[in-house]
Amino acid sequence: MKAVIQRVTKASVTIEGEKVANIESGLLILLGIVNEDEHGDIVWLSNKIVNLRIFSDDNDVMNHSLKDTCGDVIVVSQFTLQASTKKGNRPSYIKAARPDVAIPLYEAFVKQIEQDLGKTVQTGQFGADMKVELLNDGPVTIIIDTKNKE
């Protein structure tokens, strides 16, 4: 499971002209899932994300977590995070989990974030053509891969 975490001052997801998710200060999380991902990856990744100290304190030092700031979250599925670009110029997405595997894991991840954060998380729509807008704050962008835990 791979996540791109972006600290934002605002973010939204629009599908076919309709805004389906909209937040102010918080995180936009792009999530890519592979077949080998399992429940343990979900728990570890969610805990890591909600406790990352990437929000500024009163001294402008990144010392607060999402939990500390009560920030909002949007989670967007993005199979292209699992692209392989080793050969040629056309990315291969063979590592990305098919929907029958990815959807339950994606939904479980959203529920885990909600549980760890204690609030509702907004989402895009799995498999939809989404327009994602954000204002990256900092910019702060962090990539976490559960296959590189150690």
Side-chain angles (χ1 to χ4, degrees):
M1 196 167 284
K2 192 179 289 183
V4 173
I5 300 130
Q6 296 178 304
R7 187 178 75 182
V8 299
T9 55
K10 64 180 177 178
S12 65
V13 177
T14 302
I15 301 172
E16 296 180 4
E18 180 184 344
K19 198 171 279 192
V20 298
N22 189 38
I23 64 169
E24 295 299 322
S25 179
L27 297 178
L28 172 65
I29 303 169
L30 306 174
L31 186 69
I33 299 169
V34 295
N35 287 319
E36 298 77 26
D37 288 329
E38 55 190 20
H39 183 71
D41 293 306
I42 291 167
V43 172
W44 182 87
L45 184 59
S46 175
N47 182 61
K48 180 63 83 173
I49 290 171
V50 300
N51 290 297
L52 272 178
R53 297 183 335 176
I54 58 173
F55 292 90
S56 297
D57 63 15
D58 294 335
N59 297 316
D60 207 27
V61 175
M62 286 196 281
N63 213 14
H64 291 302
S65 69
L66 188 61
K67 271 185 165 180
D68 297 329
T69 64
C70 299
D72 292 321
V73 176
I74 296 177
V75 179
V76 174
S77 64
Q78 190 168 356
F79 75 94
T80 60
L81 290 179
Q82 299 297 349
S84 173
T85 57
K86 289 181 181 179
K87 290 183 178 179
N89 294 319
R90 179 176 298 184
S92 169
Y93 304 107
I94 197 144
K95 288 184 179 181
R98 297 209 176 274
D100 61 318
V101 171
I103 291 172
L105 290 171
Y106 169 75
E107 291 172 349
F109 176 78
V110 170
K111 285 185 175 145
Q112 186 67 51
I113 290 273
E114 288 178 332
Q115 180 181 322
D116 290 348
L117 207 51
K119 67 190 298 185
T120 302
V121 169
Q122 296 185 49
T123 65
Q125 180 181 334
F126 193 95
D129 181 14
M130 296 175 272
K131 306 302 179 211
V132 179
E133 285 188 79
L134 69 135
L135 184 55
N136 194 315
D137 183 17
V140 174
T141 302
I142 296 173
I143 301 169
I144 301 176
D145 190 334
T146 61
K147 304 306 179 239
N148 297 322
K149 291 180 207 175
E150 294 152 28

